[in-house]
Amino acid sequence: MSRTGKQPLADRLDLAAGRRSDAFDASGTSGTSDAVGVTADGAAWLASAGPYPRSTLAFWRERPDAPVVLPCGAAFDVVSAPAIFGRRMLDRLWEEGPGTGPVAVHRGRMLLFAAPGTAQRLPSLLEWEEWGSRARQDGSGRAGGVPPLLCHGNGDAVTVPAPVGGPGLMRSASRWLVAPDARHPWLPGPEILLWAAVRAARAAVRISIFPPADQDANVYDVSRRR
């Protein structure tokens, strides 16, 4: 997961806005870490999704622990999955695939940040492969199919977790699992998310005698992200 220094967020967001911060080295990070891991570059990327990025960064300088609502369709789309199924998708992406872009949890759902255009294309791909909502309704879909995925693109907005958190916030309603750490992060497209959803659906029908693992135990190595 992304890591970032414990310096005041105002200093980190000043760096994101293009101002010099001596507390950061050339890579934009420091040697220590906090619980959330949104870097200054990651905050700048998130803010770029809205029409007034400087205002968003200024708000976070004042309220670093506050989530914000940002529009989809320009910097990113978001695919929202039920929490358990979303966790299965993440496991497939990190264990067998290319990894993910930023990922958050909000009100019991997993938010996978995806390449712009994914929200429009992914439902069509699911229908084509007979894993979508139409197949569920008429009974023609595959057993143990993909549950409803909410695809947010142009004209939609999502709640983005705060850039700063702590141990007491790790189970809060809105938090990062894979925090943004770059000005131009790699984001999966519709084909990759289709691949992950299909494999997660197939895994869901397998019966296991073992209890589920601790859902907060997984750590995703962002160095594997393409």
Side-chain angles (χ1 to χ4, degrees), residues 22-71:
D22 292 334
F24 278 70
D25 61 23
S27 67
T29 59
S30 65
T32 57
S33 65
D34 63 22
V36 174
V38 176
T39 66
D41 282 347
W45 172 71
L46 287 170
S48 73
Y52 307 106
R54 289 179 181 271
S55 296
T56 301
L57 292 173
F59 173 76
W60 271 333
R61 281 195 291 271
E62 296 296 325
R63 294 283 309 280
D65 59 347
V68 299
V69 176
L70 292 175

Side-chain angles (χ1 to χ4, degrees), residues 121-225:
R121 182 69 177 142
L122 180 58
S124 299
L125 292 176
L126 287 168
E127 295 294 348
W128 179 262
E129 296 292 338
E130 298 183 359
W131 292 92
S133 59
R134 187 180 308 162
R136 285 193 302 272
Q137 291 170 1
D138 63 19
S140 64
R142 304 166 192 264
V146 175
L149 301 179
L150 305 180
C151 298
H152 304 286
N154 262 328
D156 300 323
V158 295
T159 299
V160 171
V164 168
L169 299 177
M170 290 305 289
R171 292 184 179 273
S172 67
S174 181
R175 60 189 174 91
W176 291 105
L177 292 182
V178 181
D181 60 359
R183 285 178 180 265
H184 303 286
W186 178 81
L187 298 171
E191 293 83 3
I192 291 174
L193 292 181
L194 171 69
W195 174 90
V198 168
R199 278 158 179 74
R202 288 172 176 166
V205 302
R206 297 173 188 159
I207 299 175
S208 174
I209 63 173
F210 299 103
D214 181 357
Q215 290 190 352
D216 288 319
N218 292 355
V219 176
Y220 300 104
D221 180 6
V222 298
S223 66
R224 293 180 49 214
R225 188 190 305 158

Side-chain angles (χ1 to χ4, degrees), residues 98-109:
T100 68
V103 181
V105 172
H106 180 66
R107 294 184 177 178
R109 293 187 69 88

